[in-house]
Amino acid sequence: MSIDTTPIDWDLSKVIPGELVTPEPDGDGDDIAPGVLEVRPSYPPVLRKAGGAAMVAASYTGKAIGITARATWTGSVWFGAGFKAGCVLGWRYVRAHDHQEVLGGMSSGTDWNKVKQTRLSRWKFLGWTALATPIIDLLGWWAITAFADIPAAYSWPILPGLELTAAVTAITAYGRYRLRAPDIAPQQVVADMDNPDSDEPYPLAWCDSPGRVEECVSRALYAERIEARSVRYLGAHKWGHEVDILLKGSTAGSVNGAAEKLDAHFNIALGGTLIETDPENAAHIVLRLVTADPFADMPRPVVHAPNSLSVRDLVVYGQGMDGAPLQFRLRGMSMLVIGSPGSAKTKGALRSLAESITACRDAIVVEMDPAKDGLSEFDGVMAAPPIRGGKDCTEWLSRLVKIARARNQVKSKLEMGDLWAPTAKHPTIFVIVDEFIFLPQEAKDLAIELLRLGRETGVHLLFAAQESTADALGDAIASAVTYRIMLASRTEDIRLVFGKGASDLGYRPDRLRPAVDEERVYDAGKFYIQGPGFNRPIQWRWHRLERDQIREAVKERAAAGRPWFDHDSLAAADLLHVIRRDGTASEATLADRLDGLDHDDAPAVAALLRAFGKEPFLPTTEMLLPALEAAGVEGLDGTALAELIRKHAPDVTAARQPWEGKPQVRGWRREAVEQAAAGLIDPSTARLRAA
């Protein structure tokens, strides 16, 4: 038997490669049968190594891409937030919102012009900046090319690229800050308010939520050592914020005393911190923080139609900072107005009052000013021509006091009751006195007497002064008037007008700023008031009527006719021959009144008055007797004329004086005939003179 073998052609494609393994016995003595097949994976070694490197590279590449994408997204979010906030800042800049906040809103054409100029200057600045930037870049490009040996083709993007990089970096950094401080508005900056543990005050403009306002007020009070049990936000208004405060160990006077420092803490206009006390709770106050003009949206006032009002009507004269109308009735009203020069005493308060009175069908007004021109624009609808100078003011006040005294008799005779009942025939009389402190002492005494007499007899005093000193007004005069008004005034005037402690209650007219000129009007027209229905220390503002409006109204009212002094009061005061109505033909004169009398002598006396006109003296033979004949009065000679006049004015006598070149001519003075007319209208006057 041979030992040689012949090779067999096996198909090994489906054979699993492997090798026989004879395992070693384990430590436990268990044996594994020999001939076990161990499978060996079949792969090329080069592909194995290449695959592992690719996976590693892909892994690190994926991480790098993820990190880059995340960083890009985060940076984009920061950049977007910064760009958005930057747009807000840019809009505020070009629209001059910061200037508007400093002005406290745009309440007049002057404020609008100032803001318009600021906007124009800022647009000019931006325009010059946009023009200068490419010029600077061009010069920089030339310098780099010339001195840095960098080709022009490669150096031109260097400066724009740096500028763009700096801008993007700044915007992104600002956006990161904005996102990490979401409670701060875009116009705000980093401040201690970001730290809740800080007690440092911060400006009110940084507050964008009620909680921020409460925190702002709490810190400001704490900085002035004013403790509060609670600070509660009441609401936002068009003019600012209102906060309810319950004090702890402090008083309203403490807050009032620190008002100027609180203005600085809140970074608002001087006078912007206002308080109102609670009469029922001394520790309770309301704090008003004024950041804009409360009266910026006041409508332009309109004048009233002729004779369309009555002293019994409620008339609107202005507006309160809470939007309430300033309205009261003229009947029974007296008023004291105190204000510094430029506070709008005349152009605001007195003009508004005079406009309403001259539109009343049952009221007349007399206006006087010893120092200035007063309300001369109303000349033509007043009951007397403008009264100027201390002497004339004293004379007229004396007459008005006589009328006020005499009206007690008229009131009883006509059965009016306890108070004067105004009608078109018996109107209420208002006396407007501007610049009261310039009156002579005698006139001041008469005015005070008129103030105390006139309430029941329908003669009311409305007077204004620059200050309220004891020697100018007296300590007791303020309490005798119905309404007390204080525009921008001195601190020491508050006690004399509003009473002791009024400042601590919130009445602070001393913090109002008077106007300087037509552009810087500031707080002109704003005021505080005390009187029936007005017991809150809030600001009010008079309507501002333009002079052109008044002139047009005066024409219409004069054409429609105005009431005048009632002859009953003039007769009772023995003033029929003193107070005369010289005006248009539609106005009743003393002669017109005589025409209405049922008396045989009335036509003759009326003809004599018309003959005199404005002449102080006329001769009997040359002028008076021919005038009587022309008027149809017959049968009178010089003797009969003298008897007629003395019949109704027993104490008058004829006169002799030069006339048309003649040295002595016998005749009569106009005053004598006027006294006779007064005796005809009121025979009791003639009887008293005769006695």
Side-chain angles (χ1 to χ4, degrees):
M1 177 179 202
S2 175
I3 57 175
D4 295 330
T5 59
T6 301
I8 301 174
D9 187 13
W10 297 95
D11 183 8
L12 300 177
S13 62
K14 297 181 180 180
V15 176
I16 298 174
E19 62 181 356
L20 293 175
V21 179
T22 302
E24 297 292 335
D26 57 14
D28 296 335
D30 296 335
D31 294 332
I32 298 177
V36 175
L37 181 64
E38 179 182 7
V39 178
R40 294 184 308 208
S42 176
Y43 48 78
V46 176
L47 292 179
R48 178 182 180 186
K49 293 180 180 180
M55 292 302 295
V56 171
S59 173
Y60 282 99
T61 301
K63 290 181 180 179
I65 293 174
I67 293 173
T68 303
R70 182 177 180 181
T72 302
W73 171 255
T74 303
S76 300
V77 172
W78 291 351
F79 179 83
F83 183 78
K84 180 180 178 181
C87 289
V88 174
L89 289 174
W91 174 256
R92 286 177 55 82
Y93 177 78
V94 299
R95 300 299 295 174
H97 284 190
D98 53 337
H99 192 181
Q100 296 180 41
E101 292 171 357
V102 171
L103 292 175
M106 293 189 290
S107 58
S108 64
T110 301
D111 294 339
W112 170 257
N113 290 334
K114 290 180 179 179
V115 173
K116 187 177 180 180
Q117 291 174 1
T118 302
R119 291 176 180 174
L120 181 61
S121 64
R122 291 181 177 181
W123 276 113
K124 288 182 178 179
F125 172 76
L126 292 175
W128 282 110
T129 302
L131 180 63
T133 300
I135 294 176
I136 294 174
D137 288 347
L138 185 62
L139 293 175
W141 175 45
W142 172 80
I144 293 173
T145 303
F147 301 105
D149 295 330
I150 300 177
Y154 299 106
S155 62
W156 70 265
I158 293 178
L159 288 180
L162 291 175
E163 293 169 354
L164 180 61
T165 302
V168 171
T169 302
I171 293 174
T172 304
Y174 183 62
R176 178 178 180 272
Y177 160 70
R178 297 293 321 128
L179 292 173
R180 294 200 173 190
D183 293 335
I184 304 178
Q187 69 269 23
Q188 298 170 12
V189 297
V190 179
D192 289 335
M193 68 175 292
D194 295 331
N195 181 7
D197 297 327
S198 174
D199 291 325
E200 288 295 321
Y202 53 83
L204 186 65
W206 294 356
C207 302
D208 61 349
S209 66
R212 289 292 192 190
V213 176
E214 292 173 354
E215 181 68 17
C216 177
V217 172
S218 298
R219 292 190 187 186
L221 294 177
Y222 183 78
E224 296 305 317
R225 299 186 179 184
I226 300 172
E227 296 189 37
R229 297 184 186 275
S230 66
V231 177
R232 183 168 58 90
Y233 188 75
L234 293 179
H237 303 274
K238 60 185 179 181
W239 45 261
H241 305 274
E242 206 167 22
V243 183
D244 184 274
I245 299 175
L246 191 62
L247 299 171
K248 175 185 177 183
S250 299
T251 63
S254 302
V255 182
N256 178 61
E260 292 186 2
K261 293 183 178 179
L262 291 175
D263 290 342
H265 289 318
F266 297 132
N267 195 22
I268 58 179
L270 189 65
T273 303
L274 309 177
I275 68 169
E276 180 179 355
T277 56
D278 184 352
E280 305 298 329
N281 188 346
H284 179 218
I285 66 171
V286 173
L287 192 69
R288 297 186 178 93
L289 307 177
V290 180
T291 57
D293 187 1
F295 309 100
D297 61 348
M298 276 187 65
R300 186 173 186 262
V302 296
V303 297
H304 298 89
N307 300 322
S308 61
L309 298 178
S310 169
V311 293
R312 296 177 173 85
D313 296 336
L314 273 174
V315 181
V316 177
Y317 297 89
Q319 180 178 305
M321 67 180 299
D322 58 352
L326 172 68
Q327 57 183 6
F328 34 74
R329 292 180 176 86
L330 288 168
R331 188 183 186 190
M333 182 186 72
S334 57
M335 182 177 289
L336 168 63
V337 180
I338 299 296
S340 304
S343 61
K345 296 187 306 298
T346 306
K347 302 301 185 291
L350 299 184
R351 180 179 283 180
S352 295
L353 293 169
E355 190 279 327
S356 296
I357 297 171
T358 55
C360 287
R361 55 186 174 271
D362 51 4
I364 61 174
V365 58
V366 174
E367 180 265 329
M368 60 186 72
D369 189 331
K372 300 185 302 183
D373 197 29
L375 299 172
S376 58
E377 63 268 26
F378 286 95
D379 187 17
V381 292
M382 296 288 189
I387 304 165
R388 302 292 180 261
K391 181 179 179 181
D392 288 346
C393 290
T394 303
E395 183 178 1
W396 264 97
L397 285 170
S398 176
R399 297 170 184 173
L400 293 165
V401 168
K402 291 180 181 179
I403 292 174
R405 291 173 178 169
R407 277 193 164 192
N408 283 306
Q409 305 170 13
V410 177
K411 180 164 61 73
S412 300
K413 180 181 177 181
L414 298 178
E415 299 181 352
M416 290 185 176
D418 295 332
L419 298 177
W420 184 267
T423 62
K425 187 177 180 181
H426 297 89
T428 298
I429 302 172
F430 289 94
V431 185
I432 295 179
V433 182
D434 200 359
E435 301 299 345
F436 183 86
I437 61 175
F438 289 101
L439 288 175
Q441 187 58 48
E442 180 184 358
K444 292 178 182 177
D445 295 338
L446 289 169
I448 295 173
E449 183 178 358
L450 180 65
L451 183 65
R452 291 169 176 166
L453 288 173
R455 188 184 69 85
E456 296 182 355
T457 57
V459 184
H460 304 296
L461 182 66
L462 313 174
F463 59 113
Q466 294 183 8
E467 56 189 39
S468 174
T469 59
D471 56 343
L473 298 180
D475 291 333
I477 190 172
S479 60
V481 298
T482 311
Y483 295 99
R484 299 180 294 281
I485 303 288
M486 292 197 75
L487 298 109
S489 310
R490 305 180 310 161
T491 303
E492 50 267 35
D493 293 330
I494 300 176
R495 181 187 64 82
L496 291 172
V497 178
F498 285 158
K500 186 178 180 180
S503 295
D504 293 342
L505 297 178
Y507 293 94
R508 294 301 305 271
D510 56 327
R511 304 194 73 209
L512 297 174
R513 296 177 296 168
V516 176
D517 50 36
E518 293 183 355
E519 293 185 356
R520 294 169 290 179
V521 295
Y522 297 129
D523 297 319
K526 298 178 184 179
F527 65 94
Y528 291 84
I529 179 173
Q530 282 188 354
F534 299 93
N535 55 4
R536 297 178 60 199
I538 65 173
Q539 289 182 5
W540 302 81
R541 185 171 187 174
W542 293 102
H543 279 151
R544 187 170 181 85
L545 294 159
E546 301 297 334
R547 184 176 287 267
D548 292 341
Q549 291 179 280
I550 300 301
R551 287 173 179 169
E552 188 66 26
V554 166
K555 293 179 182 178
E556 296 177 357
R557 294 172 188 182
R562 294 284 303 134
W564 198 62
F565 290 98
D566 61 293
H567 77 272
D568 292 321
S569 298
L570 293 180
D574 192 18
L575 292 173
L576 278 173
H577 64 291
V578 176
I579 298 179
R580 299 182 301 274
R581 183 172 192 173
D582 298 323
T584 63
S586 64
E587 298 174 320
T589 64
L590 188 57
D592 295 332
R593 296 184 182 183
L594 291 176
D595 291 339
L597 291 180
D598 185 15
H599 196 286
D600 295 338
D601 296 337
V605 177
L608 290 173
L609 287 174
R610 292 189 175 96
F612 272 97
K614 294 184 178 181
E615 294 293 331
F617 171 83
L618 288 179
T620 302
T621 305
E622 291 83 351
M623 295 296 297
L624 294 180
L625 292 179
L628 289 173
E629 291 180 4
V633 179
E634 300 177 353
L636 290 178
D637 56 12
T639 302
L641 177 60
E643 292 177 353
L644 172 66
I645 294 175
R646 292 194 184 97
K647 177 181 177 181
H648 302 287
D651 56 341
V652 302
T653 58
R656 289 182 180 273
Q657 66 182 51
W659 185 77
E660 289 189 352
K662 298 179 181 180
Q664 294 290 330
V665 179
R666 183 180 178 84
W668 292 91
R669 293 188 179 89
R670 185 177 57 189
E671 288 83 358
V673 180
E674 289 173 344
Q675 289 188 32
L680 264 171
I681 294 174
D682 187 6
S684 62
T685 302
R687 289 194 296 270
L688 288 173
R689 289 201 183 99

